[in-house]
């Protein structure tokens, strides 16, 4: 295929998609680390991914935390510092605009960075929790399930539970832990939609990746936006291979262009 043919196919697909999005359809979106890459937040997999430098079993499991809470908290504190100095990018902003404009809109994110919320997206489902929430490690009866704490940097590491003064842990879901029952229920319910986007996710971590398959089974028109091919690429109806911020901006331009 020549470059002209590729460009014209991309243009045709973008126009087709914008036309669909103009109709009053139910839109659900699953995002992953790739949406925040343009904000300077490292992804987990790929050449520059965090899991190239660190082992998930040393930093993202309850066992790892219990073995070395200071090490795990230092890693989360470093990530919090990185996130707090980053800004939502054009991709986050386009999705925030859609959350206002589209009547039936649902965004599920695997990201714990809070950038969708900072861009103004309403009703974000935080599939893997939030790096800005803490929980009591021992689930002491006085503490709520989680509480907001955006102190950067922490006064001391590891931070403690303000209720029992025992260890606090990050309010995120680690490998080997179950997704909160209500979050899972809401996310599965969101797969009952007309259009389902998977944006910037490697689509290999379940149960999040399974939402794409579920949406397809429910009859949704499925779309992937990713710089690379993923296991979802062959499953979806339309795959855009490029940076999320750029592709979302191109869709948005078509949506807002006068017919
Ligand atoms: P990954 O790091 O696994 O995948 C990020 C995806 O984004 C890859 O497929 C990249 O090709 C793509 N990508 C990178 N830059 C992009 C860009 N500018 N535009 C579009 N796509 C881009 O991140 P997730 O799929 O979110 O879980 O990972 C899922 C879960 O695995 C995370 O929530 C985390 C991780 O381990 C836990 O920590 C429990």
């Amino acid at each position: 295929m020549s470059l002209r043919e590729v460009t014209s196919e991309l243009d045709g697909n973008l126009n087709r998609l914008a036309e669909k999005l103009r109709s009053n359809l139910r839109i659900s979106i699953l995002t992953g680390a790739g949406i925040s890459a343009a904000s300077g937040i490292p992804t987990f997999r790929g050449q520059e991914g965090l899991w190239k430098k660190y082992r998930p079993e040393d930093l993202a499991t309850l066992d790892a935390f219990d073995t070395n809470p200071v090490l795990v908290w230092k890693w989360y504190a470093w990530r919090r510092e990185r996130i707090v100095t980053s800004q939502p990018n054009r991709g986050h902003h386009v999705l925030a605009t859609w959350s206002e404009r589209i009547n039936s809109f649902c965004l599920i994110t695997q990201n714990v960075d809070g950038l969708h919320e900072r861009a103004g997206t309403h009703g974000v489902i935080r599939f893997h929790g939030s790096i800005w929430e803490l929980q009591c490690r021992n689930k002491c009866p006085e503490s709520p399930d989680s509480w907001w704490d955006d102190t950067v940097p922490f006064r001391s590491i590891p931070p403690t539970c303000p209720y029992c003064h025992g260890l606090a842990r990050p309010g995120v879901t680690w490998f080997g832990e179950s997704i909160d029952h209500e979050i899972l229920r809401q996310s599965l319910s969101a797969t009952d939609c007309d259009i389902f986007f998977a944006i910037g996710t490697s689509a290999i971590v379940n149960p999040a990746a399974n939402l794409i398959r579920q949406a397809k089974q429910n009859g949704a028109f499925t779309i992937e936006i990713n710089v690379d091919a993923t296991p979802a690429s062959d499953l979806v109806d339309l795959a855009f291979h490029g940076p999320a911020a750029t592709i979302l901006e191109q869709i948005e331009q078509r949506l807002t262009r006068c017919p």
Side-chain angles (χ1 to χ4, degrees):
M1 236 189 204
S2 69
L3 182 60
R4 182 189 289 257
E5 282 167 332
V6 172
T7 314
S8 132
E9 183 180 309
L10 174 67
D11 205 43
N13 284 339
L14 286 166
N15 288 338
R16 198 152 62 95
L17 179 58
E19 208 46 57
K20 269 186 186 294
L21 289 171
R22 275 211 187 88
S23 327
N24 202 12
L25 298 175
R26 297 165 303 158
I27 316 284
S28 292
I29 303 205
L30 171 70
T31 64
I35 186 92
S36 294
S39 298
I41 315 277
T43 60
F44 293 96
R45 296 171 185 81
Q47 280 310 315
E48 305 291 315
L50 291 169
W51 297 150
K52 274 270 191 288
K53 283 188 229 132
Y54 309 101
R55 295 182 341 136
E57 51 275 46
D58 292 339
L59 296 167
T61 67
L62 188 57
D63 267 358
F65 183 76
D66 287 342
T67 306
N68 196 340
V70 172
L71 175 78
V72 172
W73 262 122
K74 279 187 175 164
W75 190 62
Y76 276 90
W78 169 75
R79 288 176 61 197
R80 284 162 63 108
E81 284 179 27
R82 184 118 193 202
I83 294 164
V84 89
T85 53
S86 304
Q87 298 301 325
N89 64 62
R90 190 62 193 139
H92 295 109
H93 285 298
V94 168
L95 296 178
T97 310
W98 292 3
S99 80
E100 289 206 342
R101 193 194 301 145
I102 298 169
N103 282 337
S104 178
F105 178 92
C106 180
L107 189 144
I108 307 154
T109 188
Q110 296 165 86
N111 301 345
V112 297
D113 57 29
L115 289 183
H116 284 300
E117 291 92 331
R118 273 170 60 193
T121 305
H122 304 298
V124 175
I125 298 179
R126 298 180 193 135
F127 202 76
H128 288 158
S130 169
I131 203 165
W132 303 113
E133 287 184 359
L134 270 58
Q135 295 169 342
C136 177
R137 161 63 187 99
N138 299 315
K139 297 192 171 76
C140 74
E142 292 77 24
S143 67
D145 286 349
S146 61
W147 64 89
W148 191 260
D149 184 335
D150 54 10
T151 317
V152 174
F154 283 121
R155 274 176 284 279
S156 63
I157 289 182
T160 51
C161 168
Y163 303 91
C164 70
H165 307 292
L167 260 184
R169 59 160 283 176
V172 301
T173 307
W174 281 323
F175 289 103
E177 295 186 313
S178 305
I179 303 296
D180 175 88
H181 195 265
E182 180 55 18
I183 295 284
L184 194 56
R185 191 196 62 73
Q186 289 174 13
S187 304
L188 282 171
S189 152
T191 63
D192 189 9
C193 60
D194 300 305
I195 302 188
F196 189 94
F197 285 85
I199 306 177
T201 175
S202 55
I204 55 173
V205 177
N206 279 319
N210 236 347
L211 297 173
I212 310 168
R213 193 171 302 277
Q214 191 60 52
K216 175 93 182 163
Q217 273 170 17
N218 291 344
F221 184 81
T222 47
I223 298 150
E224 173 177 69
I225 302 177
N226 198 304
V227 284
D228 289 325
T230 75
S233 304
D234 289 335
L235 169 87
V236 294
D237 297 292
L238 198 52
F240 292 104
H241 292 307
T246 311
I247 303 280
L248 286 167
E249 175 63 22
Q250 287 175 342
I251 298 170
E252 178 62 2
Q253 278 171 6
R254 282 160 176 80
L255 279 174
T256 48
R257 196 186 283 163
C258 290

